[in-house]
Amino acid sequence: MAAQKINEAHEHIAKAEKCLKTSLTKWKPDFDSAASEYAKAAVCFKNAKQYEQATDAYLKEAEYQTENKTLFHAAKAIEQAGMMMKEQKKMPEAIDLIEKACMMYMENGTPDTAAMALDRAGKLIEPINLEKAVDLYQKAAGVFENEDRLRQAVEMLGKASRLLVRLRRLDEASVAVLKEKNMYKDIENFPMCFKKTTVQVLIHLHRADYVAADKCVRESYSLPGYSGSEDSVAMETLLQGYDEQDEDQVYRVCNSPLLKYMDNDYAKLAISLRVPGGGAKKKKAAAAPQGGAGGAPAEDEDDYEGGLC
């Protein structure tokens, strides 16, 4: 089966090369037909799992689609070449090709396709390079935002925010979450604004910036329905416990279902939050068997990490 597909691929390449030849009666190469034959060859190579040859064929297709001024199809071919690079475990090269394809989609006037390709690239690279994934998700968000597609933009921003928290780039995460919150406000999704306020508070407290955390809650009272909501009560209780260095109170809020069942990265922020100078009350609340102010928090975090992951 594989050998048959490889032979088919070479037949298509031979036809493509014939299309490119000129003669006395044929003055111009037939780029359109050549691109079509290379596309067929690429599919045959892919089916035969000859990914390196498939990559070359897709890039040849892209070259002739570009010559033929069909940029959208050229970009599609380059993106497919990127996917073949992924199959070869060459992720940086794969992402480079997909980003190149995105530039061509933009040039062609199809930004939505570019943004979706950036999102796919982010998902591909996320398991091995969080920093690059953040960059790709933020680029995708920017493209969607420029097209006034705020729902798609805020989804991309949310992916970037979570990864920034995972990377402990909390200053950048606080900016990203604020932007998310403002977008949700623009599209009048107020319950999500409440959730983003909670995330803001956790990030700021981990940055040891109580004033910024308190300000986020105060400003959120202008949102319809926030006053008296479960989210606002929890944040008021958390801030009071943090300010008064009451480990019991902070522990109760951070381990409540409201915070514990947020997105994984934010739940970890909640469960690992400590108040300055605290420890004794937390140890008692957690019923830790070992003494010492430092033992209990580390044990709590280890228990959580094991259960979560």
Side-chain angles (χ1 to χ4, degrees):
M1 176 66 178
Q4 182 186 343
K5 286 295 177 186
I6 292 168
N7 288 335
E8 279 182 45
H10 285 296
E11 287 171 13
H12 287 302
I13 289 173
K15 289 179 184 177
E17 289 172 350
K18 190 175 179 182
C19 293
L20 295 169
K21 288 179 180 175
T22 56
S23 66
L24 291 172
T25 55
K26 182 187 166 196
W27 292 2
K28 289 184 178 180
D30 184 354
F31 293 123
D32 185 35
S33 298
S36 177
E37 292 298 335
Y38 270 113
K40 292 172 185 174
V43 171
C44 290
F45 282 132
K46 182 170 74 172
N47 290 339
K49 301 192 186 307
Q50 300 298 305
Y51 298 122
E52 188 173 349
Q53 290 170 287
T55 302
D56 293 339
Y58 276 124
L59 291 175
K60 279 290 186 184
E61 180 200 351
E63 180 184 337
Y64 298 125
Q65 294 285 15
T66 304
E67 289 282 359
N68 204 39
K69 305 286 190 288
T70 48
L71 285 185
F72 182 83
H73 294 296
K76 273 288 180 192
I78 291 172
E79 189 180 352
Q80 284 299 314
M83 298 308 290
M84 295 302 96
M85 283 290 190
K86 183 207 84 165
E87 295 295 340
Q88 297 170 66
K89 312 296 184 197
K90 296 178 179 178
M91 291 305 296
E93 294 90 340
I95 299 306
D96 285 345
L97 285 172
I98 295 172
E99 285 193 279
K100 183 179 177 182
C102 290
M103 295 297 291
M104 293 185 81
Y105 287 133
M106 295 292 288
E107 193 179 338
N108 183 64
T110 47
D112 283 5
T113 311
M116 288 186 283
L118 288 167
D119 179 29
R120 285 193 291 274
K123 288 173 186 170
L124 286 179
I125 201 71
E126 190 175 317
I128 60 173
N129 189 335
L130 292 179
E131 288 87 354
K132 185 61 181 176
V134 168
D135 176 55
L136 292 165
Y137 290 141
Q138 287 177 332
K139 284 178 179 175
V143 174
F144 278 131
E145 188 179 4
N146 287 340
E147 295 301 302
D148 289 326
R149 295 189 60 180
L150 295 188
R151 283 177 174 80
Q152 289 81 4
V154 78
E155 182 186 347
M156 295 298 105
L157 269 181
K159 292 182 179 185
S161 298
R162 287 192 290 275
L163 296 187
L164 286 169
V165 165
R166 197 180 305 173
L167 288 163
R168 304 301 292 182
R169 286 160 57 180
L170 297 182
D171 289 350
E172 293 169 75
S174 67
V175 174
V177 173
L178 175 60
K179 190 168 185 180
E180 274 188 84
K181 184 176 170 180
N182 288 335
M183 279 193 187
Y184 279 121
K185 188 176 178 182
D186 287 342
I187 60 177
E188 299 185 349
N189 186 339
F190 298 116
M192 282 305 296
C193 291
F194 304 169
K195 301 303 177 192
K196 294 304 163 185
T197 299
T198 298
V199 174
Q200 284 181 298
V201 169
L202 290 171
I203 290 172
H204 287 312
L205 292 182
H206 270 275
R207 294 171 64 240
D209 192 342
Y210 174 87
V211 173
D214 186 65
K215 184 182 176 185
C216 289
V217 176
R218 300 285 152 257
E219 289 175 345
S220 292
Y221 279 111
S222 65
L223 297 169
Y226 188 70
S227 180
S229 67
E230 184 183 13
D231 302 84
S232 72
V233 171
M235 289 306 95
E236 289 287 1
T237 307
L238 177 61
L239 287 171
Q240 181 190 39
Y242 189 92
D243 189 38
E244 296 174 359
Q245 298 188 0
D246 186 337
E247 280 280 357
D248 285 349
Q249 189 161 312
V250 169
Y251 181 77
R252 281 196 301 275
V253 176
C254 287
N255 284 269
S256 66
L258 183 69
L259 273 68
K260 210 168 183 179
Y261 298 117
M262 292 191 297
D263 286 314
N264 227 20
D265 294 298
Y266 300 146
K268 285 184 177 182
L269 277 185
I271 207 75
S272 61
L273 184 64
R274 303 289 180 265
V275 302
K281 289 186 177 181
K282 174 65 177 293
K283 183 183 69 176
K284 183 179 176 183
Q290 295 180 357
E299 184 177 336
D300 290 338
E301 193 168 352
D302 286 344
D303 289 347
Y304 177 76
E305 289 286 341
L308 186 70
C309 300

